[in-house]
Amino acid sequence: GAVVSQHPSWVICKSGTSVKIECRSLDFQATTMFWYRQFPKQSLMLMATSNEGSKATYEQGVEKDKFLINHASLTLSTLTVTSAHPEDSSFYICSARDRRTRHYTDTQYFGPGTRLTVL
Amino acid sequence: AQKVTQAQTEISVVEKEDVTLDCVYETRDTTYYLFWYKQPPSGELVFLIRRNSFDEQNEISGRYSWNFQKSTSSFNFTITASQVVDSAVYFCALSDTGNQFYFGTGTSLTVIP
């Protein structure tokens, strides 16, 4: 099956620094990638939808200047948490949609997640 | 608006017992997809099943079975003869025609040996 990777799998950083998380589709091209955030013992909340070659669409309440998303190629999207603070500590999960299918609701593949801890 | 409700926050069962996880959804779309995912402590989402809105046929896969009833907007998940390895958080999700996923709040299942 299709594989989506995330790097790093976990990261610890100091407050005020920026952290970049990569999401890659390894064996398919993804025109669209999604970024989710999951706080402990809570559900996944969609942060933004990333489309290759265009600006990301952010969900209400998500600061676009704080969570920078770049989808520069069909296999890579990055999420940069700028000036991270302890409240940004969370589990970040990306998913990618295979561009080859027209009805691609069933071909959204999730990455393994990145655990961010901001001290 | 789309909404997925998993009323059971935590469930504990003794190994070999059967357990049913409930999922109720809301949508105005006639075309949609329903999913179940398993999230073990490692955090990675494990895909279990996808069902489209036009297919109400129940499905069985080994010890897992799913009951989809459009009349009650429910998509329940049953694990038969539960095992310790089934301990995880289980999420029900709905995907609409915009291909956006809406997740329930999850049910944490603990299987006691």
Side-chain angles (χ1 to χ4, degrees), chain B residues 3-8 22-26 76 92 103-106:
Chain B
K3 185 179 179 181
V4 176
T5 301
Q6 294 179 253
Q8 304 150 307
D22 298 333
C23 174
V24 175
Y25 63 92
E26 296 177 29
N76 296 336
C92 179
F103 285 87
T105 50

Side-chain angles (χ1 to χ4, degrees), chain B residues 3-4 10 13 24 27 32 36 42 47 51 65 67 74-75 80 83-84 86 91 93 95 100-101 107:
Chain B
K3 185 179 179 181
V4 176
E10 296 181 354
V13 298
V24 175
T27 179
Y32 53 89
W36 274 96
S42 64
F47 169 81
R51 176 64 77 230
S65 63
N67 183 276
S74 65
F75 187 44
T80 303
Q83 300 176 1
V84 174
D86 296 328
F91 288 98
S95 181
Q100 184 169 321
F101 272 64
T107 297

Side-chain angles (χ1 to χ4, degrees), chain A residues 7 14 17 19-20 23 27 30 33 36 39-40 42 47 56 63 68-69 73 82 87 90 99 106 110 113-115 119:
Chain A
H7 178 79
K14 292 182 179 180
T17 61
V19 175
K20 180 184 286 188
C23 177
D27 54 359
M33 290 184 173
Y36 296 84
F39 291 110
Q42 293 189 24
M47 299 175 65
E63 301 174 58
L68 301 179
I69 293 174
S73 77
T82 62
E87 57 265 31
S90 187
R99 72 182 296 222
D106 58 341
F110 287 85
T114 297
R115 197 166 300 280
L119 302 176

Side-chain angles (χ1 to χ4, degrees), chain A residues 40-55:
Chain A
K41 297 192 176 183
Q42 293 189 24
S43 187
L44 284 76
M45 300 301 297
L46 179 66
M47 299 175 65
T49 302
S50 167
N51 293 298
E52 187 264 338
S54 64
K55 292 183 179 180

